[in-house]
Structure formats: structure tokens, C-alpha cells
Amino acid sequence: MRMILLGPPGAGKGTQAVRLVERLGIPQLSTGDMLRAAVTAGTPVGVKAKELMDRGDLVPDDVVVGIIADRIELPDAKSGFILDGFPRTVAQAESFDAMLAEKGLKLDAVIEFKVNEAELVDRIVKRAKETEARGEPVRKDDNPDVFKTRLEAYRKQTAPLSVYYSEKGQLKTVDGMKPIDEVTEAIKGILGR
Ligand code: AMP
């Protein structure tokens, strides 16, 4: 099963991805997590990405496409994966389609999380507080100011992907404002398992 979770920051993609990992036994591939790891490790990619991420802008397409191309080659991704936060531009989606076609692989599902943007800032603030309460480091971009830039990047660069996948007949949607368990059930309904 190869699937994409699409939706703005704070929509609940990561939360559902964790549940899908448990249920389907395939890995969650989050470009955000991979980039944060690169920043922490101080790799050349991390150095390049840090400033863009801190201000809420997207990292260049070639960087993330390269990361995903390498990642899907690893053994644990052979039987499938859940993409969380990738693709984020039409150019990334086109590169990814070409990558799959070259390998003779197909995409099984693209699930878009529909949300009320006005409520997302509250979710992000809550996420930051909960992270802090667990004694874990809070993401630098999980603050209302940077969040606005991330949302803007989503509207301008990522939202066109709904049209891209819908024209290909691959887009399914869930109501991301519903309680977590209900969203999980809706996804189960779409996937048929
Ligand atoms: P996320 O954890 O998905 O919210 O991503 C955090 C940040 O990483 C984003 O605001 C971007 O700066 C960067 N990023 C993650 N995935 C991508 C992507 N597919 N394309 C470009 N930038 C990305």
C-alpha cells in the first residue's frame, strides 16, 4: 500500500500516520521529520534547510525529491509507505509520479484532510504546549507567527495538489476536524481495511 496524506500543517496527518503504521505495518515517511533530523545532524541538506524551515518556507523541490527517492529504496519501504508532508508542490508530485513509473510502482491512495483553517492555529499552540509538558523540545516553527507563513505556503504551493490528484481520479477526502478516532474510521473506510 503506497499512500499520500495531504493537508495543511496541524490537520492531523502525523497522528493518523502513526495509527496507519501500526495497522498496516508500513513506514511513515515524513519529509519534515527527515529534514529535522538532517538539521540536528548538521548535514549539508540540514544546513541548507534550516533557515527556510525556521521561517516556515518550503525547502527546494530537488532536496526533498532526492530525500524521498533514497528513502523509498530502503528495505522497509518495499511493501509500501505512508507519505506525510510530501509531495508539497505540483513539481514534487510530478517528480514522484515519474519516480514510481520508472520503478513500475503505483500509488494506491491520496487522502486529503479537509480542515477549518481558523482552528489550526489553536491546534498548533496546543501541540506546542503538550510537547513542552512532556519535556520534549518544541518545534521552532510551531508558533503562531511562523505558522501563518506555513499556512500561506500550503495555500499557494500545496493546495493545487488537490486538483492535480483529483484530475487523476486518485483523491479521497476526510473531515480532519472530526475527533481522531472518527478520522481513523473514515480512513479505514476509504482504504477498505
Ligand atoms: P512538516 O513537519 O511536514 O510540517 O514540515 C516542516 C517543514 O519542513 C516545512 O515547513 C518545510 O520547511 C519543510 N518541508 C517538509 N516537507 C517538505 C516538502 N515536501 N517540500 C518542501 N519543504 C518541506
Side-chain angles (χ1 to χ4, degrees):
M1 167 83 66
R2 291 174 206 89
M3 56 190 292
I4 292 174
L5 302 183
L6 196 62
K13 304 183 297 294
T15 302
Q16 295 299 331
V18 169
R19 292 181 168 203
L20 286 160
V21 167
E22 278 175 21
R23 203 165 76 240
L24 305 176
I26 51 176
Q28 168 193 13
L29 310 188
S30 155
T31 38
D33 284 350
M34 293 182 232
L35 288 166
R36 279 184 286 279
V39 170
T40 304
T43 67
V45 162
V47 170
K48 203 167 162 182
K50 187 179 184 319
E51 206 181 307
L52 292 161
M53 293 174 76
D54 282 351
R55 60 172 194 248
D57 287 328
L58 294 189
V59 168
D61 290 334
D62 59 330
V63 173
V64 284
V65 167
I67 289 178
I68 287 296
D70 290 344
R71 184 63 184 85
I72 65 173
E73 283 300 320
L74 296 186
D76 68 332
K78 290 290 174 206
S79 55
F81 45 76
I82 301 146
L83 285 171
D84 163 12
F86 178 93
R88 246 174 162 105
T89 65
V90 171
Q92 290 177 22
E94 286 170 349
S95 298
F96 184 59
D97 276 346
M99 210 186 286
L100 291 181
E102 203 175 289
K103 296 177 199 297
L105 302 174
K106 72 172 184 52
L107 195 57
D108 299 292
V110 179
I111 301 179
E112 183 182 17
F113 290 55
K114 292 274 188 197
V115 294
N116 172 357
E117 285 189 9
E119 288 182 41
L120 291 183
V121 180
D122 293 343
R123 275 198 183 181
I124 284 287
V125 170
K126 193 169 155 232
R127 175 159 91 185
K129 278 193 188 134
E130 285 169 358
T131 307
E132 202 171 13
R134 286 197 303 271
E136 293 167 14
V138 175
R139 276 173 59 171
K140 214 172 172 176
D141 59 353
D142 266 358
N143 71 68
D145 275 346
V146 179
F147 187 74
K148 282 191 194 113
T149 309
R150 291 165 65 199
L151 212 47
E152 195 59 24
Y154 184 81
R155 283 193 208 111
K156 282 200 187 127
Q157 294 167 275
T158 311
L161 287 180
S162 309
V163 178
Y164 179 86
Y165 286 115
S166 138
E167 281 175 352
K168 288 163 143 294
Q170 291 175 311
L171 192 75
K172 305 275 188 234
T173 58
V174 292
D175 180 352
M177 301 319 290
K178 288 264 164 66
I180 294 174
D181 288 343
E182 282 184 40
V183 180
T184 302
E185 286 309 310
I187 293 175
K188 269 188 200 165
I190 288 170
L191 301 178
R193 60 184 164 133

